[in-house]
Amino acid sequence: MTGPQLSCSPAELKTLFLFEKLSDDQLEELCEQGHVEIIEPGPVFAEGEPATCFYVLIEGSLVLSKLSGGEDLVISRTSQRGVYAGAWQAYLRERVPQVYPSSLRVTEPSRFFVLDADCFAEIVAEWFPMALHLLEGLFIGARNTKQIVDQRERLLALGSLSAGLTHELNNPAAAAVRATSALRDRVAHMRQKLKMIANGSLDRTSLTSLVGLQEEAVELVAKAPKLTPLEASDREDELGDWFDDHDIAGGWDLAPTFVQAGLDVAWLEKVAATVDESKTLEGAIRWLNYTVETELLMNEIADSTTRVSTLVGAANQYSQMDRAPYQTVDIRELLDSTLVMLARKIGDDIAVVKEYDPAVPPIPAYAAELNQVWTNLIDNAVQAMDGVGTLTVRTVLDHDQVQIEICDTGPGVPDAIKSRIFEPFFTTKPVGEGTGLGLDISWRIVVKKHQGDLNLTSEPGDTRFIVRLPIDPAHDQEDS
């Protein structure tokens, strides 16, 4: 609470470090333009309110705080004479939003020199023109540099993801092309074998039975069990011996296909009982082999095209190009799409463990920007593990918040740099490999845009970036 205005003493102002180099005339003008007042314990101004006054502490104590995760985080608690707060960026005029960058409260009756923001801006411009230009250059230059590097960081990330997606799409597409070519060859051979069987001594009843076995083989392919390498090898040996016993040339080349389809010796005996073993058994076996191969190839084509469709869907989910910026989203879907997009970068030597709490509800969020957060955190985790380890992605419902953890088994973050990890331009990567903006961008997206929280816990073998997002934020759904 503000109190009565008191007389202003130029001599007293000169004892404050902020004003000690000013001339007597300048001190007199300050007293004319401003005033001294006693402020009782309590709030003076709040972060985000229009910045109307510049405050300098003459006597007493104050506390400065900033919002973090919806809570006030104390950034300074002091009784030092001459400390200042409030509209200290007024000299930048319309170049920056003229709001209080933090909150101020006093803990005991305190005396302040108070200057109107517009007066403060005019005095700085008149008394310190060169310093003002330097300050403007420093502030605006740093902001512009940050924006440029930020954009480049995003473009580099997009380029990396595009290359990874192209690689991932190429694999199933190439597999589908190979399978289609092989399928065409198998169908041609099957037609030839059918003609040979039809021209042989196979009667109508045997041919009907053989066609029935063909249909049965197709059904068995769809139900084929997954075998271990040892089990598959044993079954191939059994079928290879059966083919040798029945004088079928190249039987050892046929065995793997029949095993993959789930066909065993008992089923081959049914085939032998259906046809004339001395005349048409080998032709029937090869015809059935082409049938099985055809079915397996069609499965491979289906798997490949499904994989392409899944990747396109994941890319669409990741980019959110066809969706509203602010929407209700399933956090698990966002995490899954990011993992798909980063699959190539994660590699085969990192085990990915997903621990999703089914109780986590959809939440309103800027989905595309959260995907950028997951990208930065997962990319950091992969680099920390140097390509080998376990990446754990976890979601937990915690009262009115969703907690998302990105965990890695790397060497951990040293205690000496933990406090700086979210600072702009701070990076532990070699020169040229990082801009130091990934975690800063992530922090701003989570804390500033989603009213959440982002922090780090780390020890060797267990590093966790923990994101907390409100389930029902008081959000105006406007870009910050």
Side-chain angles (χ1 to χ4, degrees), residues 44-55 66 85-88 97-103:
V44 179
F45 56 75
E47 180 179 347
E49 292 180 348
T52 58
C53 293
F54 176 67
Y55 294 83
K66 287 188 70 68
W88 62 271
Q98 290 301 324
V99 297
Y100 290 118
S102 58
S103 298

Side-chain angles (χ1 to χ4, degrees), residues 37 64 73-74 126 153 219 251 267 318 325 357 371 376 389 415:
E37 68 179 72
L64 282 172
L73 177 66
V74 174
E126 180 184 347
E153 181 94 350
E219 293 179 4
W267 191 84
Y318 180 84
D357 184 351
N371 281 338
N376 290 335
D415 291 337

Side-chain angles (χ1 to χ4, degrees), residues 315-333:
N316 191 39
Q317 174 70 261
Y318 180 84
S319 66
Q320 298 285 315
M321 289 295 290
D322 59 346
R323 307 177 191 191
Y326 191 76
Q327 58 180 302
T328 300
V329 296
D330 187 331
I331 292 296
R332 291 164 294 190
E333 291 181 357

Side-chain angles (χ1 to χ4, degrees), residues 326-390:
Y326 191 76
Q327 58 180 302
T328 300
V329 296
D330 187 331
I331 292 296
R332 291 164 294 190
E333 291 181 357
L334 300 185
L335 290 167
D336 282 342
S337 67
T338 305
L339 288 170
V340 170
M341 295 296 290
L342 294 176
R344 182 166 175 254
K345 179 171 284 190
I346 293 172
D348 298 328
D349 294 327
I350 291 181
V352 178
V353 177
K354 294 188 283 189
E355 299 177 1
Y356 294 161
D357 184 351
V360 171
I363 66 171
Y366 293 92
E369 298 194 34
L370 284 183
N371 281 338
Q372 187 179 0
V373 173
W374 315 143
T375 299
N376 290 335
L377 298 183
I378 291 172
D379 184 50
N380 275 351
V382 170
Q383 293 193 32
M385 292 185 286
D386 199 19
V388 180
T390 299

Side-chain angles (χ1 to χ4, degrees), residues 252-313:
W252 290 98
D253 294 328
L254 302 176
T257 302
F258 282 89
V259 170
Q260 188 178 353
L263 307 179
D264 54 17
V265 170
W267 191 84
L268 291 177
E269 290 291 353
K270 289 169 62 176
V271 177
T274 301
V275 300
D276 186 332
E277 185 169 338
S278 62
K279 296 181 179 180
T280 57
L281 176 59
E282 182 170 353
I285 289 294
R286 294 193 181 280
W287 181 49
L288 291 170
N289 178 68
Y290 290 136
T291 298
V292 170
E293 284 189 321
T294 298
E295 199 65 25
L296 292 173
L297 287 169
M298 286 193 292
N299 286 345
E300 184 177 345
I301 292 172
D303 289 342
S304 298
T305 52
T306 299
R307 174 65 176 161
V308 170
S309 179
T310 300
L311 284 167
V312 171

